[in-house]
Amino acid sequence: PCLLFVASLACGNSVVVELQKGWQEKPLMYLAIVGGRGTNKTSCFDFALAPIRARDNEEYDNYVEAKSQYDLECSKPAKERKKMLEPPVFHQYILSDFTPEVLVHQHRANPRGLIVFNDELMGFILSFNKYRSGSDEQMWTQLFAGGGVTVNRVGADPVKINDTCIGVFGGIQPEILSQFAKGKIQSGFVDRWLFAFPEKVRYPKFNDVDIDEKIARNWKEIVDKILEIPFDDTPKVVQLSPGAKLIFKEWYDKLSEQKNNGGTRFAGLATKMDRYCGRMALGIEIMKYGCGESELLDISEDSMRCSIALCYYFLACGLKAQKRFMNSPTEDFTQIQREVYDELPQSFETKKGLEIAEGLGMPARTFKRWLNTSLFKRISYGFYEKKYR
């Protein structure tokens, strides 16, 4: 997933896929790699990001040189200056610690797109609203669509950009998934994330075999080729091939049936997966382009099938992650609360709930008060739904 993420964001705004008329998607992802302490997530991040970091280092050296020339010219008397110079800009790709204003300013400098990377994603979450009052969570929920964003701050001019492509990724430990998702489920923020959550990651033994330099060099060549895809503020639009479109349509309809019949937890998790299917199919085609295996003229059947397989993988990982962060409020239940909650159907009428509660020894008044807590969602008058399982 890390390689797919980096290749996709290296392309950024330069290419979009049109899934049907009026529906276009950018290769934009929010990706969380779930693993315990010491499972060596950082090495994967470092390898995947190395070509982009190398590009950032080159851009920084160019910026320092240009800034030196700019400062030298500005130090001269006005009459001796050769021309009016524009201050240089650092065209950066990877950001880790920043204010919302810096994020938008940097995206203006690099309209192709940005990567927000945090080795530990909780650092990203804990930075919300650190530099301003308001809702950074809402901003990131909005940025997922790849549209425009405006940052307003008291005492400063508003900062606006119309066409964003900002991907976010990093690592998180299973034990703090509940903290990651706390207060962010109902807003839809968590539903926008892909979780790569292996069943079990064994702590590696010492390995003194270095990665072949040829592999790292080949990966850099792939990413560099993707970075050179032309972009002049107007993206290249690629269509689905006829076969890929048929495959996508059949899968889309099947997923809709699963969402209709799979309960609210699955539906919430899968609600953005149709968009991710298009995004990942484009990302896979972009990787093929970087490897010299595609002309990037359309999305092939093979890329679409691979994307659908990834969608099912991320759905499975997402359900596993949900068990960590959606069940957490029930951990403090008393014995009788646990018995009543487990016995209640996922959706129920108040009358049925009262019967179950009283049958297990919970007073009717206590149960009615309980219904008004965050553990339940009121669907309509006299009809409720459990938020957790």
Side-chain angles (χ1 to χ4, degrees):
C2 295
L3 300 184
L4 178 61
F5 176 93
V6 170
S8 297
L9 269 298
C11 175
N13 269 325
S14 65
V15 184
V16 298
V17 58
E18 187 167 76
L19 298 174
Q20 66 179 92
K21 189 173 180 62
W23 180 9
Q24 295 181 349
E25 293 291 343
K26 302 176 181 183
L28 167 59
M29 304 178 194
Y30 292 177
L31 175 64
I33 308 298
V34 185
R37 295 187 297 273
T39 51
N40 212 14
K41 301 185 295 293
T42 301
S43 296
C44 299
F45 300 148
D46 288 343
F47 179 85
L49 285 169
I52 306 292
R53 283 178 169 154
R55 185 65 64 102
D56 271 358
N57 291 338
E58 292 174 9
E59 291 289 345
Y60 183 73
D61 290 342
N62 293 337
Y63 166 76
V64 170
E65 182 177 351
K67 183 67 164 57
S68 176
Q69 294 298 319
Y70 173 79
D71 291 342
L72 179 62
E73 196 66 25
C74 288
S75 68
K76 297 177 182 178
K79 293 182 179 180
E80 296 181 15
R81 296 176 191 171
K82 297 179 181 179
K83 58 180 179 179
M84 292 296 296
L85 297 178
E86 290 290 330
V89 178
F90 177 25
H91 298 277
Q92 188 176 3
Y93 281 93
I94 303 173
L95 297 178
S96 293
D97 188 15
F98 52 86
T99 65
E101 292 85 356
V102 167
L103 180 76
V104 176
H105 278 301
Q106 193 56 53
H107 204 333
R108 277 183 175 176
N110 185 7
R112 188 184 196 90
L114 298 174
I115 292 174
V116 171
F117 169 70
N118 282 81
D119 199 334
E120 294 293 341
L121 279 171
M122 277 310 302
F124 169 71
I125 297 298
L126 293 174
S127 72
F128 281 10
N129 306 325
K130 179 179 178 181
Y131 301 102
R132 62 169 185 160
S133 60
S135 177
D136 285 348
E137 177 188 334
Q138 183 179 1
M139 181 187 75
W140 285 104
T141 301
Q142 179 182 349
L143 285 170
F144 178 81
V149 65
T150 302
V151 176
N152 295 294
R153 191 172 183 181
V154 175
D157 292 334
V159 185
K160 187 175 188 297
I161 189 168
N162 294 323
D163 199 16
T164 60
C165 187
I166 307 174
V168 188
F169 94 123
I172 189 165
Q173 299 165 26
E175 296 79 11
I176 58 176
L177 276 170
S178 59
Q179 188 180 354
F180 175 88
K182 185 177 181 180
K184 300 176 180 64
I185 296 174
Q186 298 306 316
S187 67
F189 175 80
V190 173
D191 292 336
R192 286 159 171 77
W193 283 82
L194 298 174
F195 294 92
F197 196 166
E199 279 300 315
K200 186 175 182 180
V201 179
R202 299 181 64 85
Y203 292 101
K205 295 182 179 180
F206 180 79
N207 187 348
D208 61 357
V209 178
D210 296 327
I211 295 177
D212 191 332
E213 290 183 3
K214 183 179 179 181
I215 296 174
R217 188 165 57 249
N218 288 347
W219 174 235
K220 184 177 185 303
E221 290 173 357
I222 290 168
V223 175
D224 285 345
K225 183 177 179 180
I226 295 170
L227 287 168
E228 296 305 319
I229 296 174
F231 177 58
D232 57 358
D233 295 331
T234 302
K236 174 181 178 179
V237 180
V238 298
Q239 312 284 339
L240 302 182
S241 68
K245 189 164 188 176
L246 179 61
I247 293 169
F248 177 72
K249 180 183 180 301
E250 291 176 349
W251 172 80
Y252 184 98
D253 291 345
K254 182 178 179 181
L255 184 66
S256 294
E257 289 182 13
Q258 292 171 328
K259 287 191 286 187
N260 288 330
N261 300 316
T264 55
R265 286 180 62 188
F266 179 83
L269 182 65
T271 188
K272 302 300 178 187
M273 203 54 69
D274 52 353
R275 301 185 70 171
Y276 265 127
C277 187
R279 294 179 182 195
M280 291 191 292
L282 176 57
I284 292 165
E285 201 68 41
I286 288 165
M287 291 187 77
K288 290 180 178 179
Y289 170 82
C291 295
E293 298 175 1
S294 169
E295 296 297 323
L296 205 54
L297 301 177
D298 60 17
I299 303 298
S300 68
E301 294 181 26
D302 178 68
S303 294
M304 181 56 71
R305 288 194 181 96
C306 290
S307 179
I308 290 171
L310 279 173
C311 284
Y312 282 123
Y313 167 76
F314 284 120
L315 278 170
C317 290
L319 287 170
K320 184 178 178 182
Q322 275 191 350
K323 292 178 181 179
R324 295 279 184 156
F325 56 69
M326 293 195 75
N327 286 340
S328 56
T330 68
E331 294 174 358
D332 297 326
F333 277 179
T334 63
Q335 181 64 31
I336 191 171
Q337 285 175 330
R338 165 57 59 197
E339 292 175 358
V340 173
Y341 205 79
D342 286 347
E343 189 67 22
L344 288 170
Q346 186 64 27
S347 301
F348 59 92
E349 292 181 320
T350 305
K351 181 180 178 180
K352 178 64 175 177
L354 284 167
E355 291 177 1
I356 292 173
E358 291 179 322
L360 292 171
M362 178 181 284
R365 183 179 297 179
T366 302
F367 179 74
K368 288 180 179 179
R369 285 200 302 266
W370 204 33
L371 283 179
N372 292 321
T373 67
S374 61
L375 296 166
F376 301 93
K377 180 180 179 180
R378 182 179 174 180
I379 305 301
S380 60
Y381 180 76
F383 196 78
Y384 291 84
E385 183 178 88
K386 293 194 297 186
K387 288 186 180 179
Y388 309 96
R389 295 191 181 188

